[in-house]
Amino acid sequence: MDKKFYEKPTLAVAKELLGCYLVHGECVGKIVETEAYLWDDPASHSYRGKTRRNMAMFGAAGTAYVYFIYGNHFCFNVVTNKEEIGEAVLIRALEPVKGIELMKKRRGVEDVRQLCNGPGKLTQAMGITMKENGKSLIDGELKIIGGEKVREGDVVKTKRIGITKGAEMAHRFYIKNNRYISHK
DNA sequence: CTCTGGATTGAC
DNA sequence: TCAATCCAGAGG
């Protein structure tokens, strides 16, 4: 995916990322669930302006924004829209495609459905850490490549998960009937 | 400096 | 349904 792709409106990118492949080293996963975080969204880390932690979110489209949460987990986001706007898409779940043995080893579980069905799980399975924060997804080690188009009727749009502020916003997208969605 | 709570997970 | 776990951000 080139910079043009990530510069589009964040909700459009969140939807279009479904079906694309996230690649890191030997591991590959198909994106099956995303959530959009906009600049005027009280749930977004960028809502109260730029800080040391959320700086990457204000970077150029196609930058990785990784943060540590709940004392245990990393979450991986793709920065969208124009630089300094502060919008991003959280990758919530992947369908494992390649490097599954390594994913199992990193996660410590055998069930393939339990490898990447949650934002904290997929970062562990893919080996994504704070080291990736602020890196470019366009020419870096970690990247996203196009996959098969998801039919319009197979895209489901709903309310986001696990937040209190702005919980009513329907900014979550996932592939209908996919077995690798989070919260199951 | 202290206090609060979170874009989660996994165990019960 | 709920605790673990710890750091960023806000307020004094």
Side-chain angles (χ1 to χ4, degrees):
Chain A
M1 300 289 105
D2 57 8
K3 192 172 178 189
K4 271 269 189 302
F5 174 83
Y6 300 110
E7 277 180 337
K8 285 177 294 187
T10 302
L11 288 170
V13 178
K15 190 172 101 172
E16 289 172 32
L17 277 173
L18 295 177
C20 291
Y21 294 95
L22 178 63
V23 182
H24 193 215
E26 67 175 90
C27 293
V28 180
K30 184 165 92 172
I31 298 172
V32 298
E33 180 180 353
T34 62
E35 277 183 4
Y37 286 85
L38 310 187
W39 69 274
D40 60 346
D41 170 2
S44 173
H45 289 170
S46 60
Y47 187 62
R48 289 164 201 281
K50 203 188 283 187
T51 64
R52 189 169 75 252
R53 178 216 212 182
N54 68 21
M55 194 137 60
M57 206 172 163
F58 290 86
T63 298
Y65 169 45
V66 183
Y67 65 90
F68 188 58
I69 192 72
Y70 293 119
N72 291 314
H73 314 285
F74 295 109
C75 289
F76 167 65
N77 300 252
V78 177
V79 177
T80 54
N81 215 316
K82 302 291 184 189
E83 201 161 343
E84 299 301 321
I85 299 286
E87 300 196 340
V89 174
L90 169 70
I91 308 301
R92 286 195 60 87
L94 304 173
E95 176 178 330
V97 174
K98 263 190 62 191
I100 291 176
E101 287 312 310
L102 178 55
M103 290 185 186
K104 286 180 179 176
K105 196 172 146 201
R106 284 172 171 156
R107 292 270 301 117
V109 295
E110 283 300 310
D111 184 355
V112 177
R113 286 178 67 177
Q114 295 300 317
L115 294 177
C116 301
N117 62 333
K121 295 178 182 179
L122 72 90
T123 51
Q124 187 182 17
M126 296 290 290
I128 297 171
T129 64
M130 290 309 290
K131 194 160 62 64
E132 274 65 51
N133 187 40
K135 295 273 179 65
S136 171
L137 298 169
I138 295 161
D139 52 18
E141 185 75 3
L142 176 64
K143 55 182 180 287
I144 296 174
I145 60 175
E148 63 259 38
K149 278 231 165 47
V150 178
R151 296 208 331 269
E152 194 66 26
D154 287 334
V155 174
V156 184
K157 181 181 180 185
T158 61
K159 290 189 282 191
R160 292 175 296 188
I161 289 176
I163 55 174
T164 50
K165 303 171 214 152
E168 73 291 342
M169 295 173 154
H171 288 356
R172 172 175 176 242
F173 299 86
Y174 65 89
I175 299 178
K176 192 175 180 177
N177 296 328
N178 187 281
R179 293 159 52 78
Y180 298 88
I181 302 298
S182 67
H183 278 241
K184 267 282 139 27

Short mmCIF file of all heavy atoms in Angstrom, two decimals, chain A residues 29-91:
data_model
loop_
_atom_site.label_atom_id
_atom_site.label_comp_id
_atom_site.label_asym_id
_atom_site.label_seq_id
_atom_site.Cartn_x
_atom_site.Cartn_y
_atom_site.Cartn_z
N GLY A 29 -0.66 -12.08 8.14
CA GLY A 29 -2.04 -12.27 8.60
C GLY A 29 -2.97 -11.40 7.79
O GLY A 29 -2.63 -10.27 7.43
N LYS A 30 -4.15 -11.91 7.48
CA LYS A 30 -5.16 -11.13 6.74
C LYS A 30 -5.94 -10.30 7.75
O LYS A 30 -6.42 -10.82 8.76
CB LYS A 30 -6.09 -12.05 5.96
CG LYS A 30 -7.09 -11.29 5.12
CD LYS A 30 -7.77 -12.19 4.10
CE LYS A 30 -9.05 -12.77 4.66
NZ LYS A 30 -9.81 -13.49 3.61
N ILE A 31 -6.08 -9.01 7.46
CA ILE A 31 -6.81 -8.12 8.35
C ILE A 31 -8.31 -8.39 8.24
O ILE A 31 -8.88 -8.31 7.15
CB ILE A 31 -6.49 -6.64 8.01
CG1 ILE A 31 -5.00 -6.38 8.22
CG2 ILE A 31 -7.34 -5.70 8.87
CD1 ILE A 31 -4.52 -5.01 7.73
N VAL A 32 -8.94 -8.72 9.36
CA VAL A 32 -10.37 -9.05 9.34
C VAL A 32 -11.21 -8.15 10.25
O VAL A 32 -12.44 -8.22 10.22
CB VAL A 32 -10.61 -10.53 9.72
CG1 VAL A 32 -9.94 -11.46 8.71
CG2 VAL A 32 -10.12 -10.83 11.13
N GLU A 33 -10.54 -7.31 11.06
CA GLU A 33 -11.29 -6.43 11.97
C GLU A 33 -10.47 -5.17 12.27
O GLU A 33 -9.29 -5.25 12.58
CB GLU A 33 -11.59 -7.17 13.28
CG GLU A 33 -12.37 -6.35 14.28
CD GLU A 33 -12.65 -7.11 15.57
OE1 GLU A 33 -12.35 -8.32 15.63
OE2 GLU A 33 -13.16 -6.49 16.51
N THR A 34 -11.11 -3.99 12.14
CA THR A 34 -10.43 -2.71 12.38
C THR A 34 -11.36 -1.75 13.14
O THR A 34 -12.56 -1.97 13.20
CB THR A 34 -10.06 -2.02 11.05
OG1 THR A 34 -11.25 -1.73 10.32
CG2 THR A 34 -9.14 -2.88 10.20
N GLU A 35 -10.74 -0.71 13.69
CA GLU A 35 -11.53 0.37 14.31
C GLU A 35 -10.88 1.70 13.97
O GLU A 35 -9.66 1.83 14.00
CB GLU A 35 -11.56 0.22 15.84
CG GLU A 35 -12.61 -0.76 16.34
CD GLU A 35 -12.66 -0.84 17.86
OE1 GLU A 35 -11.94 -0.09 18.52
OE2 GLU A 35 -13.42 -1.67 18.36
N ALA A 36 -11.72 2.71 13.66
CA ALA A 36 -11.20 4.03 13.31
C ALA A 36 -11.23 4.95 14.52
O ALA A 36 -12.17 4.92 15.32
CB ALA A 36 -12.06 4.63 12.19
N TYR A 37 -10.17 5.75 14.66
CA TYR A 37 -10.10 6.77 15.72
C TYR A 37 -9.83 8.12 15.09
O TYR A 37 -8.78 8.33 14.50
CB TYR A 37 -9.02 6.39 16.76
CG TYR A 37 -9.51 5.25 17.61
CD1 TYR A 37 -9.36 3.93 17.19
CD2 TYR A 37 -10.21 5.49 18.78
CE1 TYR A 37 -9.89 2.88 17.93
CE2 TYR A 37 -10.74 4.46 19.53
CZ TYR A 37 -10.58 3.16 19.10
OH TYR A 37 -11.11 2.13 19.83
N LEU A 38 -10.81 9.02 15.21
CA LEU A 38 -10.72 10.32 14.55
C LEU A 38 -10.22 11.41 15.51
O LEU A 38 -10.28 11.24 16.73
CB LEU A 38 -12.09 10.71 13.98
CG LEU A 38 -12.76 9.63 13.12
CD1 LEU A 38 -14.03 10.19 12.48
CD2 LEU A 38 -11.83 9.11 12.04
N TRP A 39 -9.80 12.52 14.95
CA TRP A 39 -9.20 13.59 15.76
C TRP A 39 -10.18 14.20 16.75
O TRP A 39 -9.80 14.64 17.83
CB TRP A 39 -8.62 14.68 14.86
CG TRP A 39 -9.67 15.46 14.13
CD1 TRP A 39 -10.24 15.12 12.94
CD2 TRP A 39 -10.30 16.66 14.56
NE1 TRP A 39 -11.19 16.04 12.60
CE2 TRP A 39 -11.24 17.02 13.58
CE3 TRP A 39 -10.14 17.51 15.67
CZ2 TRP A 39 -12.05 18.16 13.67
CZ3 TRP A 39 -10.95 18.63 15.76
CH2 TRP A 39 -11.88 18.95 14.78
N ASP A 40 -11.50 14.24 16.39
CA ASP A 40 -12.49 14.87 17.27
C ASP A 40 -13.29 13.83 18.06
O ASP A 40 -14.41 14.06 18.46
CB ASP A 40 -13.45 15.72 16.43
CG ASP A 40 -14.20 14.90 15.39
OD1 ASP A 40 -13.80 13.75 15.13
OD2 ASP A 40 -15.19 15.41 14.85
N ASP A 41 -12.65 12.70 18.27
CA ASP A 41 -13.27 11.56 18.93
C ASP A 41 -12.73 11.46 20.36
O ASP A 41 -11.53 11.29 20.56
CB ASP A 41 -12.88 10.32 18.09
CG ASP A 41 -13.24 9.02 18.75
OD1 ASP A 41 -13.82 9.02 19.85
OD2 ASP A 41 -12.92 7.99 18.13
N PRO A 42 -13.59 11.62 21.37
CA PRO A 42 -13.11 11.61 22.76
C PRO A 42 -12.37 10.33 23.15
O PRO A 42 -11.60 10.32 24.12
CB PRO A 42 -14.38 11.80 23.59
CG PRO A 42 -15.52 11.57 22.66
CD PRO A 42 -15.03 11.86 21.28
N ALA A 43 -12.58 9.25 22.42
CA ALA A 43 -11.91 7.99 22.74
C ALA A 43 -10.51 7.92 22.13
O ALA A 43 -9.72 7.05 22.45
CB ALA A 43 -12.74 6.80 22.23
N SER A 44 -10.21 8.87 21.23
CA SER A 44 -8.91 8.83 20.54
C SER A 44 -7.79 9.38 21.41
O SER A 44 -7.98 10.36 22.13
CB SER A 44 -9.00 9.64 19.25
OG SER A 44 -7.72 9.74 18.66
N HIS A 45 -6.63 8.76 21.33
CA HIS A 45 -5.47 9.24 22.10
C HIS A 45 -5.07 10.64 21.65
O HIS A 45 -4.43 11.37 22.39
CB HIS A 45 -4.28 8.30 21.92
CG HIS A 45 -4.48 6.99 22.62
ND1 HIS A 45 -3.64 5.92 22.44
CD2 HIS A 45 -5.44 6.58 23.49
CE1 HIS A 45 -4.06 4.90 23.18
NE2 HIS A 45 -5.16 5.27 23.81
N SER A 46 -5.43 11.00 20.42
CA SER A 46 -5.03 12.30 19.89
C SER A 46 -5.98 13.42 20.30
O SER A 46 -5.71 14.59 20.06
CB SER A 46 -4.98 12.23 18.36
OG SER A 46 -6.26 11.88 17.85
N TYR A 47 -7.08 13.08 20.94
CA TYR A 47 -8.15 14.04 21.26
C TYR A 47 -7.65 15.25 22.04
O TYR A 47 -8.07 16.37 21.80
CB TYR A 47 -9.24 13.32 22.05
CG TYR A 47 -10.47 14.15 22.32
CD1 TYR A 47 -11.25 14.63 21.27
CD2 TYR A 47 -10.88 14.42 23.63
CE1 TYR A 47 -12.40 15.37 21.51
CE2 TYR A 47 -12.03 15.16 23.88
CZ TYR A 47 -12.78 15.63 22.82
OH TYR A 47 -13.92 16.36 23.05
N ARG A 48 -6.75 15.03 23.01
CA ARG A 48 -6.26 16.13 23.83
C ARG A 48 -4.93 16.72 23.35
O ARG A 48 -4.19 17.31 24.15
CB ARG A 48 -6.10 15.67 25.28
CG ARG A 48 -7.43 15.44 25.95
CD ARG A 48 -7.29 14.62 27.21
NE ARG A 48 -8.55 14.01 27.57
CZ ARG A 48 -9.55 14.65 28.18
NH1 ARG A 48 -9.42 15.90 28.52
NH2 ARG A 48 -10.66 14.01 28.46
N GLY A 49 -4.63 16.49 22.08
CA GLY A 49 -3.40 17.07 21.53
C GLY A 49 -2.21 16.14 21.60
O GLY A 49 -2.28 15.04 22.13
N LYS A 50 -1.11 16.62 21.05
CA LYS A 50 0.10 15.80 20.92
C LYS A 50 0.83 15.64 22.26
O LYS A 50 0.98 16.61 23.01
CB LYS A 50 1.03 16.48 19.91
CG LYS A 50 2.04 15.55 19.27
CD LYS A 50 3.04 16.31 18.45
CE LYS A 50 2.49 16.76 17.11
NZ LYS A 50 3.54 17.36 16.25
N THR A 51 1.24 14.44 22.56
CA THR A 51 2.05 14.17 23.77
C THR A 51 3.18 13.23 23.35
O THR A 51 3.23 12.80 22.19
CB THR A 51 1.23 13.46 24.87
OG1 THR A 51 0.82 12.18 24.38
CG2 THR A 51 -0.01 14.27 25.26
N ARG A 52 4.06 12.90 24.28
CA ARG A 52 5.17 12.02 23.94
C ARG A 52 4.65 10.67 23.45
O ARG A 52 5.15 10.11 22.48
CB ARG A 52 6.10 11.83 25.15
CG ARG A 52 7.38 11.10 24.77
CD ARG A 52 8.42 11.14 25.87
NE ARG A 52 8.12 10.23 26.96
CZ ARG A 52 7.71 10.60 28.17
NH1 ARG A 52 7.55 11.86 28.45
NH2 ARG A 52 7.47 9.70 29.10
N ARG A 53 3.64 10.15 24.14
CA ARG A 53 3.13 8.82 23.79
C ARG A 53 2.45 8.77 22.42
O ARG A 53 2.69 7.85 21.64
CB ARG A 53 2.13 8.39 24.86
CG ARG A 53 1.48 7.06 24.61
CD ARG A 53 0.03 7.13 25.09
NE ARG A 53 -0.43 5.84 25.59
CZ ARG A 53 -1.67 5.63 26.04
NH1 ARG A 53 -2.52 6.62 26.11
NH2 ARG A 53 -2.05 4.44 26.44
N ASN A 54 1.59 9.76 22.13
CA ASN A 54 0.80 9.67 20.90
C ASN A 54 1.40 10.40 19.70
O ASN A 54 0.76 10.52 18.67
CB ASN A 54 -0.62 10.20 21.16
CG ASN A 54 -0.66 11.70 21.43
OD1 ASN A 54 0.26 12.43 21.07
ND2 ASN A 54 -1.70 12.15 22.08
N MET A 55 2.63 10.85 19.84
CA MET A 55 3.30 11.62 18.78
C MET A 55 3.20 10.97 17.40
O MET A 55 2.93 11.65 16.41
CB MET A 55 4.76 11.78 19.14
CG MET A 55 5.48 12.80 18.33
SD MET A 55 6.53 13.77 19.39
CE MET A 55 7.58 12.47 20.05
N ALA A 56 3.42 9.66 17.34
CA ALA A 56 3.42 8.95 16.06
C ALA A 56 2.07 9.09 15.35
O ALA A 56 1.99 9.08 14.13
CB ALA A 56 3.75 7.48 16.26
N MET A 57 1.01 9.25 16.13
CA MET A 57 -0.33 9.35 15.56
C MET A 57 -0.50 10.63 14.75
O MET A 57 -1.40 10.72 13.90
CB MET A 57 -1.35 9.29 16.70
CG MET A 57 -2.71 8.78 16.31
SD MET A 57 -3.76 8.52 17.75
CE MET A 57 -5.36 8.45 16.94
N PHE A 58 0.34 11.61 15.01
CA PHE A 58 0.29 12.88 14.28
C PHE A 58 1.26 12.89 13.11
O PHE A 58 1.44 13.89 12.46
CB PHE A 58 0.59 14.05 15.21
CG PHE A 58 -0.50 14.31 16.22
CD1 PHE A 58 -0.53 13.62 17.43
CD2 PHE A 58 -1.51 15.23 15.95
CE1 PHE A 58 -1.54 13.86 18.37
CE2 PHE A 58 -2.52 15.47 16.88
CZ PHE A 58 -2.54 14.78 18.08
N GLY A 59 1.93 11.75 12.87
CA GLY A 59 2.91 11.67 11.80
C GLY A 59 2.27 11.51 10.43
O GLY A 59 1.05 11.66 10.27
N ALA A 60 3.09 11.20 9.43
CA ALA A 60 2.61 11.06 8.06
C ALA A 60 1.73 9.83 7.92
O ALA A 60 1.87 8.86 8.67
CB ALA A 60 3.80 10.96 7.12
N ALA A 61 0.83 9.86 6.95
CA ALA A 61 -0.01 8.70 6.66
C ALA A 61 0.89 7.51 6.35
O ALA A 61 1.91 7.65 5.68
CB ALA A 61 -0.91 9.00 5.46
N GLY A 62 0.53 6.34 6.88
CA GLY A 62 1.33 5.15 6.64
C GLY A 62 2.38 4.90 7.71
O GLY A 62 3.23 4.04 7.56
N THR A 63 2.31 5.66 8.81
CA THR A 63 3.23 5.46 9.93
C THR A 63 2.58 4.47 10.91
O THR A 63 1.36 4.45 11.05
CB THR A 63 3.48 6.80 10.65
OG1 THR A 63 4.09 7.71 9.75
CG2 THR A 63 4.38 6.61 11.88
N ALA A 64 3.40 3.68 11.58
CA ALA A 64 2.87 2.77 12.60
C ALA A 64 2.78 3.50 13.93
O ALA A 64 3.69 4.22 14.31
CB ALA A 64 3.81 1.56 12.74
N TYR A 65 1.66 3.33 14.62
CA TYR A 65 1.50 3.88 15.97
C TYR A 65 1.25 2.69 16.90
O TYR A 65 0.23 2.02 16.80
CB TYR A 65 0.33 4.87 16.02
CG TYR A 65 -0.07 5.29 17.42
CD1 TYR A 65 0.89 5.65 18.37
CD2 TYR A 65 -1.41 5.33 17.81
CE1 TYR A 65 0.53 6.02 19.67
CE2 TYR A 65 -1.78 5.71 19.10
CZ TYR A 65 -0.81 6.05 20.01
OH TYR A 65 -1.17 6.41 21.29
N VAL A 66 2.22 2.44 17.76
CA VAL A 66 2.12 1.32 18.69
C VAL A 66 2.14 1.86 20.11
O VAL A 66 2.91 2.76 20.42
CB VAL A 66 3.31 0.34 18.53
CG1 VAL A 66 3.15 -0.86 19.46
CG2 VAL A 66 3.44 -0.12 17.09
N TYR A 67 1.27 1.37 20.98
CA TYR A 67 1.27 1.82 22.36
C TYR A 67 1.07 0.64 23.31
O TYR A 67 0.57 -0.42 22.92
CB TYR A 67 0.22 2.90 22.61
CG TYR A 67 -1.20 2.42 22.43
CD1 TYR A 67 -1.91 1.89 23.49
CD2 TYR A 67 -1.80 2.49 21.18
CE1 TYR A 67 -3.22 1.45 23.33
CE2 TYR A 67 -3.11 2.04 21.01
CZ TYR A 67 -3.81 1.53 22.09
OH TYR A 67 -5.09 1.09 21.92
N PHE A 68 1.47 0.86 24.57
CA PHE A 68 1.41 -0.16 25.61
C PHE A 68 0.20 0.13 26.49
O PHE A 68 -0.05 1.27 26.86
CB PHE A 68 2.69 -0.06 26.44
CG PHE A 68 2.89 -1.15 27.43
CD1 PHE A 68 2.93 -2.47 27.03
CD2 PHE A 68 3.06 -0.85 28.77
CE1 PHE A 68 3.14 -3.48 27.95
CE2 PHE A 68 3.27 -1.85 29.70
CZ PHE A 68 3.30 -3.17 29.29
N ILE A 69 -0.59 -0.90 26.80
CA ILE A 69 -1.83 -0.65 27.54
C ILE A 69 -2.08 -1.74 28.59
O ILE A 69 -1.66 -2.87 28.43
CB ILE A 69 -3.03 -0.58 26.55
CG1 ILE A 69 -4.28 -0.04 27.22
CG2 ILE A 69 -3.30 -1.92 25.92
CD1 ILE A 69 -4.26 1.43 27.53
N TYR A 70 -2.75 -1.39 29.67
CA TYR A 70 -3.14 -2.30 30.74
C TYR A 70 -1.95 -3.06 31.33
O TYR A 70 -2.12 -4.18 31.81
CB TYR A 70 -4.19 -3.30 30.24
CG TYR A 70 -5.50 -2.66 29.91
CD1 TYR A 70 -6.03 -2.72 28.64
CD2 TYR A 70 -6.22 -1.97 30.90
CE1 TYR A 70 -7.24 -2.12 28.34
CE2 TYR A 70 -7.43 -1.36 30.61
CZ TYR A 70 -7.94 -1.44 29.33
OH TYR A 70 -9.13 -0.85 29.04
N GLY A 71 -0.78 -2.46 31.25
CA GLY A 71 0.38 -3.10 31.87
C GLY A 71 0.87 -4.37 31.22
O GLY A 71 1.83 -4.98 31.69
N ASN A 72 0.23 -4.83 30.15
CA ASN A 72 0.60 -6.10 29.54
C ASN A 72 0.66 -6.12 28.03
O ASN A 72 1.35 -6.95 27.46
CB ASN A 72 -0.42 -7.19 29.90
CG ASN A 72 -0.38 -7.57 31.34
OD1 ASN A 72 0.68 -7.78 31.89
ND2 ASN A 72 -1.54 -7.64 31.94
N HIS A 73 -0.11 -5.26 27.38
CA HIS A 73 -0.35 -5.45 25.96
C HIS A 73 0.04 -4.27 25.08
O HIS A 73 -0.01 -3.13 25.49
CB HIS A 73 -1.83 -5.75 25.73
CG HIS A 73 -2.36 -6.76 26.68
ND1 HIS A 73 -2.09 -8.10 26.56
CD2 HIS A 73 -3.12 -6.63 27.79
CE1 HIS A 73 -2.67 -8.75 27.54
NE2 HIS A 73 -3.30 -7.89 28.31
N PHE A 74 0.38 -4.63 23.82
CA PHE A 74 0.65 -3.61 22.81
C PHE A 74 -0.53 -3.59 21.85
O PHE A 74 -1.12 -4.64 21.58
CB PHE A 74 1.92 -3.95 22.01
CG PHE A 74 3.16 -3.94 22.83
CD1 PHE A 74 3.83 -5.12 23.14
CD2 PHE A 74 3.69 -2.73 23.30
CE1 PHE A 74 4.99 -5.10 23.90
CE2 PHE A 74 4.85 -2.70 24.06
CZ PHE A 74 5.49 -3.89 24.37
N CYS A 75 -0.83 -2.39 21.32
CA CYS A 75 -1.84 -2.29 20.27
C CYS A 75 -1.19 -1.62 19.07
O CYS A 75 -0.40 -0.68 19.22
CB CYS A 75 -3.03 -1.45 20.74
SG CYS A 75 -4.05 -2.29 21.97
N PHE A 76 -1.54 -2.11 17.88
CA PHE A 76 -0.94 -1.62 16.64
C PHE A 76 -1.96 -0.85 15.80
O PHE A 76 -3.05 -1.34 15.54
CB PHE A 76 -0.39 -2.80 15.84
CG PHE A 76 -0.05 -2.47 14.43
CD1 PHE A 76 0.99 -1.59 14.14
CD2 PHE A 76 -0.74 -3.05 13.38
CE1 PHE A 76 1.31 -1.27 12.83
CE2 PHE A 76 -0.42 -2.75 12.05
CZ PHE A 76 0.61 -1.86 11.79
N ASN A 77 -1.57 0.37 15.41
CA ASN A 77 -2.43 1.23 14.59
C ASN A 77 -1.70 1.69 13.34
O ASN A 77 -0.47 1.77 13.34
CB ASN A 77 -2.78 2.53 15.32
CG ASN A 77 -3.51 2.32 16.62
OD1 ASN A 77 -4.68 2.60 16.71
ND2 ASN A 77 -2.82 1.85 17.64
N VAL A 78 -2.48 2.04 12.32
CA VAL A 78 -1.96 2.62 11.09
C VAL A 78 -2.39 4.08 11.06
O VAL A 78 -3.58 4.37 11.16
CB VAL A 78 -2.56 1.91 9.87
CG1 VAL A 78 -2.08 2.57 8.60
CG2 VAL A 78 -2.22 0.43 9.89
N VAL A 79 -1.43 5.00 10.95
CA VAL A 79 -1.76 6.42 10.90
C VAL A 79 -2.36 6.75 9.53
O VAL A 79 -1.86 6.30 8.50
CB VAL A 79 -0.51 7.29 11.16
CG1 VAL A 79 -0.86 8.78 11.04
CG2 VAL A 79 0.04 6.99 12.55
N THR A 80 -3.44 7.52 9.55
CA THR A 80 -4.15 7.87 8.32
C THR A 80 -4.27 9.38 8.18
O THR A 80 -3.85 10.13 9.05
CB THR A 80 -5.57 7.28 8.34
OG1 THR A 80 -6.21 7.71 9.54
CG2 THR A 80 -5.54 5.77 8.30
N ASN A 81 -4.92 9.80 7.09
CA ASN A 81 -5.18 11.22 6.83
C ASN A 81 -3.87 12.02 6.71
O ASN A 81 -2.81 11.45 6.59
CB ASN A 81 -6.09 11.79 7.91
CG ASN A 81 -7.05 12.82 7.38
OD1 ASN A 81 -6.67 13.67 6.61
ND2 ASN A 81 -8.30 12.74 7.79
N LYS A 82 -3.96 13.33 6.76
CA LYS A 82 -2.77 14.16 6.59
C LYS A 82 -1.96 14.25 7.88
O LYS A 82 -2.51 14.11 8.97
CB LYS A 82 -3.19 15.59 6.18
CG LYS A 82 -4.02 15.66 4.93
CD LYS A 82 -3.21 15.30 3.70
CE LYS A 82 -4.06 15.48 2.45
NZ LYS A 82 -3.41 14.94 1.25
N GLU A 83 -0.68 14.56 7.71
CA GLU A 83 0.21 14.75 8.84
C GLU A 83 -0.37 15.83 9.76
O GLU A 83 -1.00 16.77 9.30
CB GLU A 83 1.58 15.21 8.31
CG GLU A 83 2.71 14.96 9.28
CD GLU A 83 4.05 14.97 8.56
OE1 GLU A 83 4.09 14.86 7.33
OE2 GLU A 83 5.07 15.09 9.28
N GLU A 84 -0.19 15.64 11.08
CA GLU A 84 -0.64 16.59 12.11
C GLU A 84 -2.13 16.53 12.41
O GLU A 84 -2.61 17.23 13.30
CB GLU A 84 -0.26 18.04 11.76
CG GLU A 84 1.24 18.28 11.64
CD GLU A 84 2.00 17.94 12.90
OE1 GLU A 84 1.50 18.23 14.01
OE2 GLU A 84 3.09 17.37 12.79
N ILE A 85 -2.90 15.72 11.68
CA ILE A 85 -4.34 15.62 11.96
C ILE A 85 -4.58 14.76 13.21
O ILE A 85 -5.39 15.10 14.06
CB ILE A 85 -5.10 15.00 10.75
CG1 ILE A 85 -4.94 15.87 9.51
CG2 ILE A 85 -6.57 14.80 11.09
CD1 ILE A 85 -5.74 17.14 9.51
N GLY A 86 -3.86 13.64 13.30
CA GLY A 86 -4.01 12.78 14.47
C GLY A 86 -5.11 11.74 14.35
O GLY A 86 -5.91 11.57 15.25
N GLU A 87 -5.15 11.03 13.23
CA GLU A 87 -6.15 9.97 13.08
C GLU A 87 -5.45 8.66 12.75
O GLU A 87 -4.36 8.66 12.17
CB GLU A 87 -7.14 10.33 11.96
CG GLU A 87 -7.88 11.62 12.26
CD GLU A 87 -9.12 11.84 11.42
OE1 GLU A 87 -9.25 11.21 10.36
OE2 GLU A 87 -9.97 12.64 11.85
N ALA A 88 -6.08 7.55 13.13
CA ALA A 88 -5.46 6.24 12.91
C ALA A 88 -6.50 5.13 12.92
O ALA A 88 -7.63 5.33 13.35
CB ALA A 88 -4.42 5.97 14.00
N VAL A 89 -6.08 3.97 12.43
CA VAL A 89 -6.94 2.79 12.42
C VAL A 89 -6.28 1.72 13.27
O VAL A 89 -5.13 1.34 13.04
CB VAL A 89 -7.14 2.25 10.98
CG1 VAL A 89 -7.93 0.94 11.01
CG2 VAL A 89 -7.85 3.28 10.13
N LEU A 90 -7.01 1.23 14.27
CA LEU A 90 -6.53 0.15 15.13
C LEU A 90 -6.81 -1.18 14.44
O LEU A 90 -7.93 -1.42 14.00
CB LEU A 90 -7.27 0.19 16.48
CG LEU A 90 -7.10 -1.02 17.40
CD1 LEU A 90 -5.69 -1.09 17.96
CD2 LEU A 90 -8.12 -0.99 18.53
N ILE A 91 -5.78 -2.01 14.34
CA ILE A 91 -5.97 -3.35 13.77
C ILE A 91 -6.38 -4.26 14.92
O ILE A 91 -5.59 -4.49 15.84
CB ILE A 91 -4.67 -3.87 13.10
CG1 ILE A 91 -4.12 -2.85 12.10
CG2 ILE A 91 -4.93 -5.22 12.42
CD1 ILE A 91 -5.06 -2.48 10.99
#
